[in-house]
Amino acid sequence: MLGSFAVLRKQSLLGDAISHAALPGIAIAFLITGTKETNVLLIGALVSGLLGAFWIRGITKRTHLKSDTALGLILSIFFGFGMLLLTYIQKLPNANQSGLDKFLFGQAATLLARDVWFMASVTFVCLVVLLLFWKEFKILLFDADYAKTLGFNIQLIDILITSFIVIAIVLGLQTVGVVLMSAMLLAPAAAARQWTNSLGIMVVLAAFFGASSGVIGTAISASQNNLSTGPVIVLVAAVFVGFSFIFSPSRGLLFRQIRFIQNRKDLELHKTLAFMFEIVKSHENISHPHAVKILNNFHGYTRKSLGKLERKEYINVSGSMWSMTPKGYHFAANLYNQQGNENE
Amino acid sequence: MESQKIAIAVDDLTVAYNYKPVLWDIDLAIPEGVLMAIVGPNGAGKSTLIKSILGIIEPIAGSVSIYGKPYDKQRKLVGYVPQKGSVDWDFPTTALDVVMMGTYGKLGWIKRPGKSERKTALESLEKVGMLSFKDRQINQLSGGQQQRVFLARALAQDADIYFMDEPFQGVDATTEITIINILKELRKAGKTVVVVHHDLQTVPEYFDWVTFLNVKKIATGPVKEIFNDDNLTKTYGINYKVSVQK
């Protein structure tokens, strides 16, 4: 859901950076408290995730570095630091690292009912805020400068959006882990973008795709032995994306190809029809029959295309003669006008 | 013309990127009800001037007042048409939606646009001749149509002062005529309009006030008095001759 905003801000990698940035937070939280209590670790993740996110913002604003450079920088620094801490923890006598490991690749199986309720309530809060500030989010995404001239505090909106992205990521960490989290954030949004041109529908669809991949992924991994849930969920989300890329009616590859072929065929028929029109025009009676052979010196003509034109009732074919119907005459007469209008 | 109120007053405005001044000590007093063009070569700071007046760019010195009060308190009186290229036109939204954004400022935080905002937006679209495109996806509009949508959005703000950043850039004849007619209507309604403009030939025809800018302010005043070869040469640095039809 919140991924829609990341995608539209062209900060798709933000999710990746933040989820990696959360890792040292988890490790530090463990080092300080010594517990493997999920909530404590998540708070650590939240703090370092936010820190990473706002450093990225700071770097992009204050230096000449582009945002992808800043993202890459923060991602590797935080992740490196996190890994360092993890190996350190591993060598400590009082801990086996396995409890922290789950945040790397996620382990949906370790989720407790309590965790799920917690996630649901946070999601609900996000939803309410999203609905309240819908207008503000939208205008910031589309035209931040303009929003500023209207008197909106764009920094505040920006911080709000970024914070919610961080929260969403940190919550997802438990399920799919640091490495795959960005896919979880972006895949549903990318899939949803293919289907709609409305921001509202896009967000709803993204939420639906995300939830479905969660459910389907869990179901698959539960029915098969030894398949860890996180990766399966991400793969299901990827299937959604692939499907959307190919089959979406307006932006999909398949329908674009079909439309392309369709247009080309139509164009050929129109060419033939236009040629016939030129002939027919010189006769007073439009349904005056002509020999099919006349068309021979014209390339666009085949038996098949004549058949098609006949089926559309533009012409009548009898034996080796053809004649134009009033409908066909009218259509052909408007053929060029129409094109002229469209080009305007 | 003598007793005109000053709509926009700019005082000592200076903007710099990395120590290099982009705008240097600009003073402007723009009277109410004029159609003013800002002209100058590329890199003269024309867009920067507009953006720093609007607070999009932070100036290092100077102040801006609108009708005698600081700009911050007068934002609702000011409409803005940004450069067309400044946004991502693949954003999932419709022409009407974009125009509705013009009403957001008056709505303020959280409140949602309702029927009256929708009506305002539709009227604005009609004024720029785009009503039949209201549900069109914005990435399916031509460049000129996108520019008209931006203009409609500013009209929906129902402001007293308008800033437009190169509205004539790369638009077709239909759009240019539409924009000119809107500008004239705005002037008739007593609004003040400031336009960053590139085509020197059309300045005397479209505008009644002009500012020559090249980092520093070269000259500002009525087109009839100051739009001459002397100021053009000073601004563009080469011996410039245009045939000015008066």
Side-chain angles (χ1 to χ4, degrees), chain A residues 8 10 64 131-136 138-139 141-143 145-146 148-153 156-157 193 196-199 202 251, chain B residues 18 55-56 71 75 80 82 87-88 90-93 97-98 101-102 104-105 108-113 137-139 150 153 157:
Chain A
L8 291 174
K10 307 215 168 18
H64 285 285
L131 285 176
L132 277 180
F133 295 102
W134 180 252
K135 172 172 105 268
E136 285 78 10
K138 184 157 142 185
I139 194 167
L141 289 173
F142 179 63
D143 194 346
D145 281 354
Y146 186 69
K148 200 169 179 184
T149 68
L150 290 181
F152 288 105
N153 185 340
L156 197 69
I157 312 175
R193 181 72 185 93
T196 176
N197 275 326
S198 142
L199 181 63
M202 176 176 165
R251 296 184 147 229
Chain B
N18 298 324
I56 297 169
Y71 166 69
R75 279 182 197 271
Y80 175 44
V87 302
D88 172 18
D90 201 30
F91 192 79
T93 191
D97 247 8
V98 173
M101 288 177 187
Y104 285 7
W109 287 86
I110 298 181
K111 255 185 274 167
R112 296 172 158 268
Q137 189 54 36
I138 53 168
N139 60 8
F150 261 10
R153 183 175 70 171
Q157 283 182 261

Side-chain angles (χ1 to χ4, degrees), chain B residues 144-199:
Chain B
Q145 290 167 339
Q146 290 173 346
Q147 188 66 60
R148 280 188 269 164
V149 167
F150 261 10
L151 186 63
R153 183 175 70 171
L155 292 177
Q157 283 182 261
D158 192 24
D160 292 329
I161 296 170
Y162 287 94
F163 289 93
M164 304 185 184
D165 204 343
E166 304 206 15
F168 297 107
Q169 194 184 40
V171 300
D172 53 11
T174 325
T175 304
E176 180 146 350
I177 292 164
T178 313
I179 298 175
I180 287 300
N181 288 336
I182 299 260
L183 289 181
K184 283 179 180 160
E185 259 173 51
L186 287 174
R187 179 168 51 188
K188 223 182 269 170
K191 317 272 186 184
T192 312
V193 187
V194 176
V195 180
V196 170
H197 197 55
H198 250 307
D199 185 6

Side-chain angles (χ1 to χ4, degrees), chain B residues 212 223 225-233 240 242 244 246:
Chain B
F212 289 96
V223 171
E225 288 166 25
I226 68 159
F227 194 71
N228 51 38
D229 290 348
D230 184 34
N231 278 326
L232 284 166
T233 308
Y240 213 104
V242 288
V244 181
K246 283 189 180 169

